[in-house]
Amino acid sequence: MIKEILVIVASLLALVGNIPYLRDVVKGKVKPHPYTWLVWTLVSCVVFFGQLAKGAGIGAIPTAVSEIFTIIIFLFSIKYGFKNPPKIDKYFLILALFGLIPWIVTKDPTVSVIIVVSIDLIAFIPTLRKTYSNPKSETPLLYGTNALRHGLALGALGSYNIATMLHSIVMVIVNSLMVFLIKVRKGDY
């Protein structure tokens, strides 16, 4: 019963964080980086199926809910997002996409998750750079709810191993860093 409650709360947190973020994207208050969101779309998909393959059970549901929003935000980022990214961001995108090759070759869920989590971190760099330069281009709500959601999702997993846990652990850390960066750079602390 506890795991089901954690899944429901974590899935609701995906709604709480993503719906206002989407609204802010459309209103022009937030400028998501399309390269980052493209890679996150691919990574979340791999993580979801890796979690399923390694026994996450209902603990994978928050990942699936989040993946739906990740796809939508990526599509919205093309029209409303950050424009004219610097050339170095294109290199991060290429590096992240090349990181998918070992996953395709190995077809091992654990290796795949390790690789895509590494890709996820590389994909986060353009958004971190953009946010550092322009902290008003992001909102802490999405990243704060993501950190909390990933923490709760860890408690709902059906099996605990690298493939089911790594992504959430790393996302708790990186999303917390984003909240800190946004708050400190805006002077909201």
Side-chain angles (χ1 to χ4, degrees):
M1 183 66 177
I2 286 282
K3 290 185 187 248
E4 289 84 0
I5 292 169
L6 292 174
V7 165
I8 291 167
V9 172
S11 297
L12 289 173
L13 283 169
L15 296 172
V16 168
N18 283 290
I19 290 173
Y21 189 85
L22 278 169
R23 182 196 65 229
D24 288 347
V25 169
V26 173
K27 288 182 176 180
K29 291 181 179 179
V30 172
K31 300 285 185 190
H33 199 300
Y35 295 173
T36 299
W37 285 94
L38 168 62
V39 174
W40 285 346
T41 297
L42 298 170
V43 166
S44 293
C45 184
V46 171
V47 168
F48 171 69
F49 287 110
Q51 287 177 333
L52 286 181
K54 294 302 267 184
I58 64 168
I61 292 172
T63 303
V65 172
S66 180
E67 172 65 357
I68 292 165
F69 282 103
T70 305
I71 292 167
I72 294 168
I73 292 169
F74 163 65
L75 294 173
F76 275 58
S77 75
I78 294 168
K79 181 173 181 180
Y80 300 105
F82 180 65
K83 304 293 184 205
N84 304 315
K87 192 176 224 177
I88 191 165
D89 289 0
K90 291 179 177 121
Y91 296 127
F92 284 120
L93 172 64
I94 292 166
L95 181 62
L97 293 175
F98 273 131
L100 292 173
I101 294 170
W103 166 67
I104 293 167
V105 172
T106 66
K107 293 183 177 54
D108 178 308
T110 301
V111 171
S112 299
V113 169
I114 292 169
I115 291 168
V116 297
V117 168
S118 300
I119 292 167
D120 213 358
L121 289 172
I122 292 168
F124 228 121
I125 293 170
T127 292
L128 287 166
R129 284 177 62 266
K130 174 191 68 84
T131 305
Y132 182 83
S133 298
N134 186 3
K136 292 182 180 180
S137 70
E138 290 291 348
T139 177
L141 178 64
L142 173 69
Y143 299 99
T145 57
N146 279 348
L148 185 56
R149 175 178 54 84
H150 280 286
L152 292 173
L154 284 168
L157 294 171
S159 178
Y160 294 91
N161 54 61
I162 292 171
T164 61
M165 296 174 54
L166 182 63
H167 186 253
S168 286
I169 291 169
V170 171
M171 289 300 102
V172 166
I173 295 166
V174 178
N175 280 283
S176 297
L177 174 63
M178 274 295 285
V179 171
F180 176 78
L181 182 63
I182 293 166
K183 293 282 200 181
V184 167
R185 295 290 293 161
K186 282 184 177 177
D188 291 344
Y189 50 96

